[in-house]
Amino acid sequence: MDIQRIVLRRISLPLRSPFQTHQGELHERSVIIVEVSDHQGLKGYGEVSAFSTPFYTAETIETAWHMLRDIILPHLNTRDIQHPADFVRMTSFIQGNQMVKAGLEGAIWDLYAKQNKVSLAELIGGTRAYVKAGAVLSLSDCTKNDINRLKQSGYERYKLKVEKGKERDKINQVQTIDPDLAIMIDANGMYREEDIDHLTALDDLGLLMIEQPFEPGDFYLHRQAQQQMSTPICLDESIMSLHDARQAIELGSCQIVNIKISRVGGMTAALNIHDYCQNNGVPVWCGGMVETGIAKAHNLALASLPNFTIPGDLSSSDRYFYKDVLKEPIEVIDGKIRVPTENGIGVNVDDSYLEKATSQSYVWQPG
Ligand code: OSB
Ligand code: MG
């Protein structure tokens, strides 16, 4: 592939309101935007969606910056990249660091699609023109106003962050505002072995699913719980690779898989997990990372694949941000988001706004 230059940018966008979970609170969103350009001036964009602290996965923005600048870029031989999957093989010597790999691989996928004059969705075998949107209500947003604003856009599914012991209250509170909302809860691994009976007792609520009840790594406990519960378990943090997805499904630790491009180490891994789940009759949905329109555009391409049958954490640009890094924000209309058909990720990045949001940048050129 023709790759002339790679630019890394640390950016920070203020959030409209804090995103609160039992693990902490986000007030602004800092990510690394990766831009890979060729000699014709085509640009591919990717996003490293690590957080400032390692509350969700072990990576942080700071470790990601180090991995890119000091480990991955100095080893990168662009002449050996004919296809984005070659980049995956070249970086397979690096353990973990999924979000870093995913961000750079994403920029390479976007550039590859643009060089081949095809949309990313079409390139990876997407079949949907629109994907179903889903809203996430953090602990701090659950008022009538929050829900009515989301309802106006027609979100089809509501995911609630909950606190242990207060699940029923929170769910009832939301159902009083609208009894017809399809609801699931995300535990982010907060339950312990002794909570299995407590979780089973929530079966009567008819939740769509419960996401990541126990700590990542514990396929055994998820299996024990799933055998007792009728509510489907969906795994998020536990699934960092195709191997994890296979173990979870073979062991019966979940019935549904959340795929995040960043958490699984990139689009190539995401596609493999999608295919594996599809072949095993396990539906998937696309997770979110309170990320910018660049990552959202990658998500839309992924979610256009046939086994993404459940609405994901796919929301509009203005759900979390006053202003996104795109010239035209991503919009939810009648509960759906259009999958871009333009080349690559199919969105126009607002370069001057990106520049304004940048606190540090680094430019790399092949030696
Ligand atoms: O567990 O899915 C999660 C946000 C940050 C870290 C982890 C998670 C989340 C979300 C928000 O649930 C998803 C979104 O709307 O982007
Ligand atoms: Mg989750």
Side-chain angles (χ1 to χ4, degrees):
M1 271 175 79
D2 170 14
I3 293 177
Q4 195 217 354
R5 198 167 96 109
I6 299 179
V7 182
L8 308 178
R9 283 196 189 80
R10 276 167 96 126
I11 67 158
S12 190
L13 303 180
L15 294 183
R16 296 173 84 107
S17 59
F19 187 87
Q20 195 196 346
T21 71
H22 78 277
Q23 295 154 305
E25 217 172 66
L26 284 178
H27 290 268
E28 51 174 21
R29 186 65 170 107
S30 302
V31 297
I32 300 170
I33 301 298
V34 182
E35 181 193 294
V36 179
S37 46
D38 69 7
H39 287 88
Q40 293 178 64
L42 291 174
K43 287 179 182 175
Y45 293 92
E47 177 169 326
V48 180
S49 302
F51 294 98
S52 303
T53 61
F55 74 93
Y56 174 71
T57 66
E59 292 177 87
T60 68
I61 287 294
E62 195 66 38
T63 66
W65 190 261
H66 158 64
M67 286 301 301
L68 282 166
R69 198 193 53 188
D70 305 326
I71 310 278
I72 298 182
L73 292 179
H75 279 92
L76 197 66
N77 191 347
T78 51
R79 274 179 301 260
D80 292 345
I81 305 178
Q82 309 310 323
H83 182 273
D86 296 325
F87 169 77
V88 178
R89 280 187 284 276
M90 283 168 72
T91 48
S92 62
F93 74 98
I94 297 167
Q95 300 303 314
N97 292 283
Q98 270 83 343
M99 296 193 182
V100 169
K101 294 175 184 170
L104 185 46
E105 189 194 334
I108 296 171
W109 272 104
D110 183 21
L111 180 64
Y112 180 83
K114 284 168 177 161
Q115 289 175 343
N116 288 281
K117 301 188 173 57
V118 63
S119 72
L120 181 59
E122 191 184 338
L123 178 66
I124 63 177
T127 53
R128 287 169 216 281
Y130 290 85
V131 300
K132 288 179 178 176
V136 181
L137 296 173
S138 84
L139 290 177
S140 47
D141 31 34
C142 200
T143 65
K144 223 176 169 137
N145 277 349
D146 294 323
I147 293 173
N148 282 333
R149 186 164 76 92
L150 294 166
K151 266 186 67 181
Q152 276 168 13
S153 305
Y155 284 90
E156 292 219 358
R157 177 230 68 176
Y158 287 71
K159 164 169 141 179
L160 313 183
K161 298 285 186 181
V162 289
E163 286 174 280
K164 201 194 283 189
K166 296 189 190 159
E167 304 86 349
R168 221 170 259 279
D169 289 350
K170 174 92 176 214
I171 293 160
N172 288 340
Q173 186 191 341
V174 173
Q175 282 175 335
T176 334
I177 301 169
D178 186 342
D180 297 329
L181 297 180
I183 293 178
M184 60 171 286
I185 59 175
D186 185 0
N188 289 112
M190 74 175 160
Y191 297 105
R192 296 294 169 259
E193 189 159 9
E194 56 272 23
D195 298 320
I196 292 187
D197 289 341
H198 169 68
L199 284 174
T200 307
L202 300 177
D203 275 343
D204 68 299
L205 290 165
L207 296 172
L208 291 173
M209 70 190 83
I210 172 162
E211 185 179 352
Q212 196 69 43
F214 307 106
E215 287 178 278
D218 202 334
F219 291 112
Y220 173 75
L221 199 49
H222 282 103
R223 173 192 154 94
Q224 294 300 102
Q226 187 65 93
Q227 281 178 340
Q228 269 199 40
M229 292 162 58
S230 61
T231 307
I233 290 179
C234 168
L235 290 177
D236 174 358
E237 287 92 324
S238 287
I239 310 296
M240 307 278 279
S241 64
L242 175 62
H243 312 291
D244 291 336
R246 187 165 75 173
Q247 291 185 62
I249 291 167
E250 288 295 328
L251 292 171
S253 308
C254 68
Q255 294 178 12
I256 300 169
V257 170
N258 161 330
I259 302 182
K260 291 185 187 176
I261 300 171
S262 61
R263 195 197 61 233
V264 302
M267 183 62 95
T268 303
L271 297 176
N272 290 334
I273 295 171
H274 165 272
D275 294 353
Y276 182 82
C277 290
Q278 185 170 33
N279 294 334
N280 286 275
V282 173
V284 301
W285 55 273
C286 183
M289 290 287 285
V290 189
E291 67 252 282
T292 80
I294 291 174
K296 279 186 196 294
H298 286 268
N299 291 344
L300 294 175
L302 179 67
S304 75
L305 293 176
N307 196 35
F308 281 84
T309 51
I310 302 174
D313 289 347
L314 300 166
S315 58
S316 58
S317 291
D318 69 2
R319 168 70 185 90
Y320 298 121
F321 304 118
Y322 296 104
K323 175 157 173 39
D324 203 339
V325 297
L326 306 181
K327 283 185 185 150
E328 301 86 18
I330 288 174
E331 286 181 320
V332 173
I333 300 169
D334 295 335
K336 295 189 288 288
I337 308 178
R338 186 183 76 93
V339 177
T341 50
E342 299 78 2
N343 292 346
I345 57 173
V347 290
N348 294 309
V349 174
D350 184 340
D351 288 316
S352 68
Y353 183 64
L354 194 61
E355 196 61 45
K356 268 189 226 151
T358 299
S359 59
Q360 192 180 4
S361 55
Y362 179 79
V363 179
W364 176 90
Q365 275 171 313

